Amino acid sequence: MYTQLLTLEQDSKVINLLHFPKTPLLPTVFKLRSRLWSKGRTFVTTPKDISQLINNLSKNKFNEVKVIYNFAPDNILSIDITIHKITNILTLAPSNSLWEPTGTYKALKKTDESLRASFESQEIFVKRNNSIYPNLLEIFIEFELGLN
């Protein structure tokens, strides 16, 4: 399942969107990984919980963060649905106070340079049009339905 949430929130409150998912959708035992794109490169972390990650993000500037919940298959609410993996990708708007300006950094990898160029084009558009751009949270839920 794939869904998107957009918000025009322009300050650090936007990172509270990363609190999705919550119980009962989120099993109690899982492994959390994050990939943060900032300053022309990707940083990988394994925070102990989402609150720790959100706390760290609120103190830094960045452009995008990907949060991956991996867990052993777990049925939710005694329904025959098994959740395998949830991935959240939060892409900040260039008008957001947490946005890391892209023009001052040079990416070393091709994949990072591609992201940097994409973020820079959004940044230029927002500056030229003096507009507010939405923040985007993309949510991917990998699950299996039982056939009972």
Side-chain angles (χ1 to χ4, degrees):
M1 182 170 79
Y2 171 75
T3 191
Q4 294 181 350
L5 299 175
L6 298 169
T7 178
L8 291 175
E9 189 71 53
Q10 297 301 306
D11 61 21
S12 62
K13 286 186 250 172
V14 73
I15 57 180
N16 287 323
L17 289 174
L18 293 173
H19 279 291
F20 179 86
K22 293 229 180 208
T23 304
L25 188 59
L26 188 63
T28 55
V29 178
F30 58 88
K31 181 179 177 188
L32 186 63
R33 284 187 308 134
S34 75
R35 244 185 231 150
L36 176 72
W37 200 92
S38 179
K39 300 179 180 167
R41 60 184 278 222
T42 302
F43 300 88
V44 177
T45 64
T46 52
K48 69 175 183 156
D49 60 31
I50 196 65
S51 295
Q52 178 190 36
L53 177 63
I54 288 172
N55 186 42
N56 290 341
L57 290 174
S58 68
K59 298 173 188 172
N60 297 296
K61 292 188 178 263
F62 64 98
N63 304 94
E64 183 175 86
V65 63
K66 181 178 193 176
V67 179
I68 303 164
Y69 294 87
N70 282 307
F71 33 81
D74 187 37
N75 287 2
I76 58 170
L77 292 175
S78 301
I79 303 172
D80 208 5
I81 298 175
T82 304
I83 306 289
H84 295 282
K85 181 179 179 181
I86 298 174
T87 303
N88 292 344
I89 302 172
L90 176 63
T91 305
L92 292 181
S95 49
N96 190 289
S97 64
L98 290 176
W99 178 263
E100 178 66 50
T102 58
T104 56
Y105 301 101
K106 180 163 175 73
L108 300 176
K109 295 180 187 174
K110 282 185 180 182
T111 54
D112 283 334
E113 178 53 28
S114 177
L115 274 172
R116 191 203 63 75
S118 176
F119 292 141
E120 184 177 43
S121 68
Q122 291 175 23
E123 193 175 303
I124 290 168
F125 175 83
V126 168
K127 284 181 183 176
R128 282 191 183 153
N129 295 300
N130 195 24
S131 63
I132 294 177
Y133 204 77
N135 302 282
L136 170 65
L137 178 66
E138 297 174 274
I139 304 161
F140 300 86
I141 303 175
E142 295 176 31
F143 64 94
E144 182 180 333
L145 293 173
L147 299 174
N148 294 338

